[in-house]
Amino acid sequence: MRLIAAAWIAACLAAIGEEAHGSTADPAQAANAATEAKAKVAPRGVYPRAFSGEQSYWTIVGVDGGAANGLISEDGAIELGKGGASIEPFVIDNGRLSTWADVTISQSLEDGYLPIPGVDWRRRGWDLRITSFAFGDPSHPQLAARYQLRSLTRRPQRLALVLAVRPFQVNGPGQFLNSPGGVSPIYDLGWDGSRLTLNGRLRVFALTPGSRFTAEPLDLASLRGSHPAASAEEASVHDPAGFASGALIYRLALPARGRATVEWVAPLADAGPSVARTRVAFGQALAATARDWRRRLGRVTLVTPPRERAVADTLRTSLAYVLISRRGPILRPGTRSYDRSWIRDGAMISEALLRLGETRVVQDYLRWYAPFQFAGGKAPCCVDARGPDPTPENDSEGEFIFLAAEAYRYGGDLPLLRSMWPHVLAAADYMDGLRRREPAADSDGPDRQATQGLLAPSISHEGYSDKPAYSYWDDFWGLRGYKDAVFISETLGETTAAARLSRDRDDFRLDLLASLRAAVRAHGIDYIPGSADRGDFDPTSTTIALAPGGEAAALPADLLNNTFESNWQRFEKRRDADPAWDAYTPYELRTIGTYVRLGWRDRAAAALDFYLKDRRPLAWNGWAEVVGRDLRKPRFIGDMPHAWVASDFVRSVLDMFAFERVDDASLVLGAGIPPAWFKSSEVGVRGLRTPYGVLNWSAKTGDGRLTVRVSGDARPPGGFVFPWPFAERPGPVRFNGHALSWNADAVRLEGPGELIVDLRQATDRGAGGRGKALPSVSNR
């Protein structure tokens, strides 16, 4: 799994250094080096932030499943497709050129969560709002931008909006993996009065009359005088070095407190239907885009206190980022560095999608992925334009089987499940082969019992790329795969296969648990290691044992507790006291779901608060693959937003509201919601999909009682479990008018209905159970 280990972060940073200081024979590296050299001597703001020694952040602009997408930077530059050039805004006020370095900048999303990002520039006397969105058919998406320049004074103003077309990606020069960032060569620019072409391709339609074009050098020197450079109705620029640049200039007369608007659209694919070429069509496209995303992202609603709105907004935005990051049916963790599909990413992204009601998206992905399975049953770790990757990553089979089972649990498509049965059986048989290989003798490793019966070593964890390891990540996924293979065979009536797979599942669980105990002895540790032969500490990997592994009850309780107690202590140290930490990977968001399952309500909430503060920018509700302590220190950060990270956030936050407890087939409600949320307002979730149907529940305090209402068609065999959220001992409880008893501070509800807890008789946990009653909370 990518970027779990700190060692991998270091490797990425080292690679950046090597590329920056190594040979400049590579044209892209040479172009980036030349541009960075120019930026060092130019005034700050003339070149994009990423070329000026500062880390830059961005977000994606696209449609669900689009063939291509753009990016917008935190400073307002818009990239015209993957690896493409950008359009950057500047403003001229009384002969003074204002750049991103001269203004106060903020970011936003439409409605706080829609994938319609905005960037606001503010300077004394005026402000500029930049809005970007994408629309149209996924095969031929269109990229659009609106610039609203507003006067903040009581007198008319004459300003110039400059839209510079420059050979720079938003994806900065520090991004090197698979899709190098930085310079995007422009050899030819052409302007015919309404259309701008780059390198001979039609790219940008200017929808606002009055634009003129100037061939503008990269240092913007000619824009620094009292007037913009001489401009023309038609012009062209050629630069054999690929550094051609130019600018569309709009001289705008703003009335007092008035505004002017400039708009453009550009096809993100080379061919397709005509773009919206009028301002009326532009406005209609923007309104329709917002309306469609509101509907798509509104299937599941988190009910939170108003001050915690960021949790609900980020959940919805995360879903949008996952959908925009996919290409057709192909789920991808990213669109630049990670423009390919890993089954591990796809399986976990799919679980998040299913819980949010995106069943068809997951079914389409399953249908797409299955045919790439190798003849011997091996599931490819990833698939890209070159086809399936045969690299030995032995988590893949379990993840594929899990994907097939989850698609059926949530979607109920029996013909689809039947069509997957040969693939599932072949994958399970392949896992048998991996288990029955003779463990290699290793005098430096643990005793042989620690590796007996496990899946063969692999490099599914990039921290093990130096040498394949007996990764428990693989084994926890493998056990989940065996369990789901049994479920699928029983569902399809394949009784002979079900009996054999059940034996394989049970044998593998015994071998896995024996291995854990042997590895702990061999390495002299008191936690669940990341791998049997290394004894490494990797709690982010171990989370898989609980979810989706469902093995919390089977694991040694002391080792499980020690693993995540130590993880929490390290988290606290980094959060509160350690000034030396440099970077982490937000895959750590998975640990929130683990804390919830362990009953660590307060820790789950504290971790969520920490990670939410590391969204960059905050208003865009997304994370990069690597988060650095120093906001502006240049580093490799992977794709931004990162769809696998987004899915980790979705899964963990949904766990806080409701999760499936595999041990007793129940749904646990509100186990991660902080007590303060219950006391301050209504909390709950509406429309949440589960393997047992749709779940709605809400809780509210007032008039001396806590009222919990459960509805929807979900009917888990083990019922609904509501853990008591407060520190005080719970008072008497009634469900649908009948008295219930608390069991270990939780009650089990057999079906939907109304649960009422008397808060006036709840007491603290002093001697004899007597103490101060929990205060009544007003509805106000």
Side-chain angles (χ1 to χ4, degrees), residues 535-716:
D536 49 326
F537 182 74
D538 190 357
T540 309
S541 173
T542 307
T543 60
I544 297 303
L546 283 74
E551 291 297 310
L555 294 172
D558 57 336
L559 298 180
L560 180 62
N561 187 77
N562 291 346
T563 301
F564 290 101
E565 182 65 39
S566 180
N567 170 248
W568 171 256
Q569 292 172 5
R570 296 182 187 203
F571 169 83
E572 277 194 310
K573 180 180 179 183
R574 182 178 68 197
R575 182 192 64 183
D576 300 335
D578 185 1
W581 72 272
D582 181 56
Y584 71 89
T585 59
Y587 299 128
E588 292 182 11
L589 281 158
R590 292 176 206 151
T591 59
I592 295 173
T594 297
Y595 294 159
V596 171
R597 284 172 168 78
L598 292 174
W600 298 351
R601 187 188 298 268
D602 292 342
R603 291 180 175 183
L608 177 64
D609 181 66
F610 173 84
Y611 294 121
L612 280 173
K613 291 176 181 176
D614 273 339
R615 293 168 296 159
R616 294 184 182 172
L618 280 174
W620 282 351
N621 296 341
W623 290 266
E625 189 182 29
V626 180
V627 172
R629 183 174 185 270
D630 185 337
L631 183 71
R632 294 303 175 194
K633 178 181 177 181
R635 67 177 71 248
F636 174 82
I637 63 173
D639 276 294
M640 185 171 202
H642 193 282
W644 195 18
V645 169
S647 76
D648 283 330
F649 173 81
V650 169
R651 291 167 60 248
S652 281
V653 167
L654 292 181
D655 285 349
M656 295 175 73
F657 284 80
F659 70 88
E660 179 190 11
R661 191 163 64 189
V662 176
D663 306 336
D664 59 0
S666 64
L667 291 176
V668 182
L669 311 181
I673 295 179
W677 291 21
F678 285 98
K679 295 180 180 180
S680 64
S681 69
E682 183 179 9
V683 297
V685 64
R686 294 191 294 268
L688 180 64
R689 274 59 172 184
T690 78
Y692 311 109
V694 177
L695 169 67
N696 311 305
W697 76 266
S698 64
K700 192 172 185 179
T701 56
D703 299 326
R705 64 186 186 179
L706 171 66
T707 302
V708 180
R709 294 184 174 92
V710 181
S711 63
D713 61 12
R715 297 294 185 273

Side-chain angles (χ1 to χ4, degrees), residues 112-159:
Y113 69 92
L114 298 177
I116 302 175
V119 176
D120 288 278
W121 286 18
R122 190 175 184 91
R123 190 160 190 177
R124 185 175 181 180
W126 56 266
D127 63 16
L128 172 67
R129 176 67 184 271
I130 305 155
T131 302
S132 185
F133 68 101
F135 66 98
D137 186 275
S139 299
H140 307 289
Q142 316 292 329
L143 182 65
R146 169 181 284 172
Y147 305 81
Q148 294 176 308
L149 190 59
R150 183 177 60 158
S151 172
L152 302 179
T153 69
R154 296 180 180 178
R155 57 179 176 79
Q157 291 193 75
R158 298 188 67 83
L159 304 174

Side-chain angles (χ1 to χ4, degrees), residues 497-515:
R500 176 174 64 82
L501 290 167
S502 295
R503 291 192 298 271
D504 292 340
R505 173 201 61 199
D506 295 342
D507 289 345
F508 186 46
R509 179 184 280 116
L510 290 174
D511 287 341
L512 175 54
L513 294 176
S515 169

Side-chain angles (χ1 to χ4, degrees), residues 50 184 343 611 655 741 747:
S184 175
I343 188 61
Y611 294 121
D655 285 349
S741 298
V747 290

